[in-house]
Amino acid sequence: MTQMDAELLTVRDKGLPVRAVGLTAEQFLASEPRLDEFWTPLIVLDDAAMTANVATMAQWCAERGLALMPHGKTTMAPALWKRQTDAGALGITFATMGQVRTARDLGVDSVMLANAAVDRPALAWLAQELADPDFRFVSWADSIATVEAMEAALLSTGTPRPVDVCVELGGAGGRTGARSIDEAMRVAERIAASSVLRLAGVGGYEGSLAHDRSAAALVAVRAYLESQLELHAAIAPLYDDGELYVTAGGSAYFDVVADVWGAAARDDRTHFTLRSGAYIVHDDGFYRSISPFDEGAAQPAGSPRFVNAMHGLARVVSAPEPGLALVDAGKRDLPYDEGLPIPRSSSAGVDGPWQPLHGEVSAMNDQHSYVRSEQALEIGSVVRLGLSHPCTAFDKWRVLPVVESADSDVVTGLVRTYF
């Protein structure tokens, strides 16, 4: 039994049945729970859809010779990271050193930090962790000042081995990253000259340069990725003979990444690494509109597809005027930063049967959402909601139930998060 399996369920884990309190997840699941025992509001995960999504991405990457280190901050859920690594992922990506420390405590031994690490206490902790020869860690730097901050901290504490660092290339108007190849080359030279850092490749994030799949957006993404390859070739004389990384790829443009990288020269020591993380649950909003693998994407028949594997359940608590129902889930429970939830169906209870519901969520408060529909919704009935943006769905929940499939109320798992 792992540390997380031994954690007892408590009343602080919102949505759980009363009888689950004081049990481990394993003990509770052995009692064959059904979804109708749970309290609303809820976010429910679909096991069949997650299994299909993980298999689809793993096969697609393997066919193209791509490594995958999915972004773990999407879910901060070890049970879901394990699904991804069991399917062949090289490791898990994180965005902060705090997330890295949490992951290490939960047993993750292969990590990419898609960010810079310049905090002295965090780097002192990292130096201790690097005493484990089986711990893979690689981070990024986009300026000489970043390199010097890392170097100063590591020299003051000592480190059993150099920290692998990718030089990060950015783009005008983007997020972090050196703004030109010449600037990035100077950063790479400074990393390579350090006694406590090791130049480990090229990193970056194309998703900050575009936000849709328009022709102009795809041109911008492609140009950026070609610049990554140009930088990788330019700094090749600075590399030693160890493992290298060329890494990009959020959950929106990974197909473009694979296409551009397909023309790159390959060798056995360079991991061309995607970091897509949202694919494990996909969504019913932002990623549905932009992912190349969504069921509605313009792709040939038989192309890989992702399936939405998360939905919200909220109960009608008020119907104050015709066409308006207030449900018991709001901003504290459901994501709203990349589009409001979408009413998809309704039922007398959380266990169905479900009937199509046409309408919209027009607004959200902390604990209420405004569902507008010409279909009457009775007090106590339940609305099933499509959700947008997994990254801001998981962070609102400590424990999420997993059902066999979208059409089943059989609870097969509990996913615990560690935000």
Side-chain angles (χ1 to χ4, degrees), residues 7-73:
E7 293 186 39
L8 299 182
L9 302 170
T10 79
V11 293
R12 299 174 187 174
D13 300 322
K14 61 184 182 181
L16 291 182
V18 172
R19 71 179 184 84
V21 174
L23 302 178
T24 66
E26 183 179 19
Q27 289 169 336
F28 176 58
L29 293 171
S31 69
E32 301 181 349
R34 310 293 285 231
L35 202 57
D36 62 1
E37 300 181 66
F38 286 69
W39 298 18
T40 57
L42 278 176
I43 289 182
V44 179
L45 304 178
D46 178 336
D47 181 70
M50 289 193 295
T51 298
N53 291 344
V54 169
T56 294
M57 191 63 163
Q59 179 179 345
W60 186 84
C61 287
E63 289 171 350
R64 287 155 183 78
L66 302 178
L68 179 63
M69 295 184 78
H71 220 317
K73 58 93 177 173

Side-chain angles (χ1 to χ4, degrees), residues 31-189:
S31 69
E32 301 181 349
R34 310 293 285 231
L35 202 57
D36 62 1
E37 300 181 66
F38 286 69
W39 298 18
T40 57
L42 278 176
I43 289 182
V44 179
L45 304 178
D46 178 336
D47 181 70
M50 289 193 295
T51 298
N53 291 344
V54 169
T56 294
M57 191 63 163
Q59 179 179 345
W60 186 84
C61 287
E63 289 171 350
R64 287 155 183 78
L66 302 178
L68 179 63
M69 295 184 78
H71 220 317
K73 58 93 177 173
T74 299
T75 65
M76 287 303 292
L80 301 187
W81 302 338
K82 187 175 186 302
R83 288 183 182 228
Q84 294 167 311
T85 55
D86 284 352
L90 182 64
I92 304 294
T93 296
F94 296 99
T96 70
M97 285 298 288
Q99 292 172 355
V100 173
R101 183 172 65 174
T102 297
R104 282 292 284 163
D105 185 58
L106 294 167
V108 178
D109 59 9
S110 180
V111 166
M112 177 174 289
L113 176 69
N115 208 338
V118 296
D119 180 76
R120 280 180 173 265
L123 286 165
W125 170 85
L126 175 63
Q128 294 178 332
E129 293 298 301
L130 290 173
D132 177 357
D134 295 324
F135 177 37
R136 178 200 303 270
F137 177 85
V138 56
S139 66
W140 297 0
D142 68 354
S143 70
I144 290 175
T146 301
V147 175
E148 292 179 344
M150 292 186 71
E151 186 177 60
L154 292 167
L155 286 172
S156 68
T157 62
T159 178
R161 55 187 166 103
V163 176
D164 282 359
V165 180
C166 290
V167 58
E168 181 188 359
L169 182 65
R175 198 166 60 189
T176 52
R179 290 316 201 232
S180 70
I181 290 178
D182 287 345
E183 182 182 345
M185 288 183 65
R186 289 192 290 272
V187 177
E189 289 167 351

